[in-house]
Amino acid sequence: MKKADIGLIGLAVMGENLVMNMESRGFTVAVYNRSTEKVDNFVNGRGKGKHIIGCKSIGELVENLERPRKIMLMIRAGEAVDHMIAQLVPVLEEGDIIIDGGNSYFKDTIRRTRELTEKGLCYIGTGVSGGEEGALHGPCLMPGGNPQAWEAVKPIFMAISAKVDGDVPCCEWIGDDGAGHFVKMVHNGIEYGDMQLICEAYQLMRDGLGMTPDEMHEVFAKWNETELDSYLMEITRDILGFRDEKGEAVVDQILDTAGQKGTGKWTSESALEEGIPLTLISEAVSARCVAARKEERMEASAAYGRKCGKIIEDKKTFVEQIRKALYAAKIISYAQGYSLMKTAAEHYGWKLNYGDIALIWRGGCIIRSVFLGKIKEAYDKNPELQNLILDPYFKEAIESSLESWRKVVAAGAINGIPLPAMSAALFWFDSYTCENLPANLLQAQRDYFGAHCYERIDSPRGQMFHTNWTGHSGSTAAGSYNV
Ligand code: NAP
């Protein structure tokens, strides 16, 4: 019997669908799952009559694979991946490749790549985005790890990935060790930001303008024909139009308490580590944390007798202003996310291609949108672009939305409608484009209480000064360094 082109471990929702996708593109796939009844269920169910080899042990899986063996893990991220690798290492041979397609933390992927390289094995940590549908019909794939493993894996990944513009695969080698999982993490952070912005627009319309789900369904349908054209706009339109058997809008029946699996938090943590302001995504993570505390919020709301005010602007005009605010804030979210990738790439020695990253996110994944085409154009034109908002297209887009964006954030503040992401984006923009921030006073405070020194406006950068502010402190200054 023909050996399999690839093995896959983990027959949950993502694994099963990826196997079906691979098989449909002409690859033979050997499968294994820790709970082996799932192997039986799969090969006798969805996988019946297909080029799929069910295996009841890791040994059997390994025996059924062409060399170099390629084994993809689609299992729960974290310790489970280390356990599985520990079982695979003794039965694999030099040059064999382990691929981790789960949402693993990129620092784990850096470590695993190093450990497996030392053992003569290859490792790929790949981001897989697009959920169940994407896995089956074409996900966005973000592989990184040992570059020498890529040639063997590339034909399979290119074949199964989503395609844009006819036949352009949403898959590209991202970079060494943890680069693929890092970029997937930032993708997930951006996803948090995009979703939060849409939710803020929804709350402005629902509570500020008193609009019904049907009216908002129409608005999102129209917005999806503008620069905001994206998968998340599409599903929001459909969710708002969805009714249950009693004819009621399902969105109104859902409790407002959000969940999260941690990738947004990782993105924020990594931004803090790199010293990059990622305010919009961080606010989106916090917004889910606040939402999760439903009982506490109910108590606080009652204690303050809180009610949102009504926005008295002309509805049609204000809805258009919300659209512009959403668009401008979304640009800021991507600008911040790209700054994080740029800084991390320098830190970890990755050569990221920012235009390619925008391109592969254009299809298959949750943040897919027309807008990403413009980001690709911006980085293709200038791969060294300091910040996305300095690209002429995005500069013009922000300038033409700025007045509306300010009005919307102000209306939220006046009427008590929380807009943490839209406002954080606006205040980041105002800070980033402000020549004179109040940090002169801040440096004076630091020097006053801690002799941390300051630079002067009339002296070269790097020359440090200390003032004896109280007249009775000494002239010794603290060492100058940044953490
Ligand atoms: P999941 O619920 O995250 O994981 C279930 C799978 O992991 C099962 O096959 C399970 O085996 C296996 N597993 C758990 N602990 C294990 C251990 N200690 N040893 C061996 N196997 C173990 O499944 P999923 O939603 O399909 O996701 C798979 C991976 O893809 C995860 O890392 C997830 O974060 C990532 N991902 C998910 C999505 C999505 O939309 N769901 C999208 C992109 C990426 P048993 O059957 O034996 O329990």
Side-chain angles (χ1 to χ4, degrees), residues 9-15 33-35 38 74-77 79-80 83-84 87 101-104 128-132 184 261:
I9 299 179
L11 292 174
V13 60
M14 293 299 285
N33 191 75
R34 176 182 64 171
S35 317
K38 287 195 187 159
M74 281 313 289
I75 62 174
R76 183 169 306 164
E79 281 181 7
H83 287 152
M84 194 49 78
Q87 292 176 63
N103 273 335
S104 291
V128 177
S129 177
E132 183 178 359
K184 170 64 168 39
K261 282 192 167 169

Side-chain angles (χ1 to χ4, degrees), residues 40-51:
D40 288 330
N41 293 344
F42 181 58
V43 292
N44 297 321
R46 278 178 95 188
K48 198 174 171 109
K50 311 257 180 216
H51 296 97

Side-chain angles (χ1 to χ4, degrees), residues 197-234:
L197 286 174
I198 291 173
C199 289
E200 290 177 13
Y202 161 74
Q203 191 170 11
L204 279 161
M205 288 189 270
R206 185 191 66 183
D207 299 342
L209 296 173
M211 290 169 69
T212 64
D214 279 346
E215 285 176 293
M216 292 184 277
H217 162 81
E218 294 298 328
V219 168
F220 278 97
K222 287 208 183 83
W223 285 2
N224 198 40
E225 288 162 13
T226 68
E227 306 95 319
L228 291 173
D229 180 351
S230 65
Y231 171 71
L232 284 168
M233 280 284 145
E234 258 168 60

